[in-house]
Amino acid sequence: SGESRKELQSLNAKLHMSLVEARAEAASQEQARKQAEVKLRLAETQAETARSSEARLVSETASLRSEITRQGALLESLQRIEASLSARTAEEEENFKETIEQQSQALKTEREKYTVEIERLQGRISDLEAHTKELEKRKDEAMGEMVKAKDEVLNTKA
């Protein structure tokens, strides 16, 4: 019976130790569970924050894409206006060049015409001057003949 009692005490001590260990393990498990729950709540909060951030980023991305599209349309519009102005400017420049060329050609033609007319008139003036000299010479000769004839008539009467 002493030995049975020792065995029972030993068994009781082992059971008590197992119970203490089991309680310690249970407490440790409970602590781990609480830490896991805290981590889970933290992860859920972080996930919710991430979802909110993602939604905000999606919204901002859509807004930026819309702005990029609007800017692109504005740029295209400006490029069309610039091309139109460039084309108009080039066309106007070409028209000015044509007008200047036509006026230059007309001026050249008029100058040539006036040069020919001036040369013709100068020739006519030269002819008239020669004719005038010829007439002056004839007049002087006729005057000389008349004076001579007058002298002869006077000499004959005398």
Side-chain angles (χ1 to χ4, degrees), residues 145-158:
E145 290 291 324
M146 188 176 78
V147 169
K148 204 176 182 187
K150 197 177 184 185
D151 282 345
E152 282 180 16
V153 169
L154 286 177
N155 282 338
T156 329
K157 285 185 180 181

Side-chain angles (χ1 to χ4, degrees), residues 4-5 9 22 27 34 36 40 47 51 57 62 74 84 106-107 118 134 148:
S4 289
R5 197 176 172 152
Q9 282 180 345
K34 286 181 180 179
L40 176 63
R51 279 191 290 275
L57 288 174
L74 180 62
S84 172
L107 180 62
I118 288 171
E134 180 64 32
K148 204 176 182 187

Side-chain angles (χ1 to χ4, degrees), residues 45-93:
T45 302
Q46 289 174 340
E48 185 58 36
T49 302
R51 279 191 290 275
S52 294
S53 293
E54 181 183 17
R56 185 178 45 79
L57 288 174
V58 165
S59 174
E60 286 178 9
T61 300
S63 176
L64 288 173
R65 282 189 178 134
S66 174
E67 180 64 17
I68 287 170
T69 301
R70 191 183 70 74
Q71 292 288 335
L74 180 62
L75 181 60
E76 280 183 33
S77 178
L78 287 173
Q79 287 172 338
R80 279 194 303 274
I81 290 169
E82 182 182 18
S84 172
L85 289 174
S86 292
R88 188 181 310 152
T89 302
E91 184 179 327
E92 288 173 353
E93 184 178 337

Side-chain angles (χ1 to χ4, degrees), residues 38-48:
V38 168
K39 286 181 181 177
L40 176 63
R41 275 187 245 117
L42 179 62
E44 286 173 345
T45 302
Q46 289 174 340
E48 185 58 36

Side-chain angles (χ1 to χ4, degrees), residues 115-127 129:
T115 300
V116 167
E117 183 65 18
I118 288 171
E119 287 174 359
R120 186 185 69 77
L121 289 174
Q122 284 175 340
R124 179 104 166 100
I125 289 170
S126 293
D127 289 347
E129 285 175 347

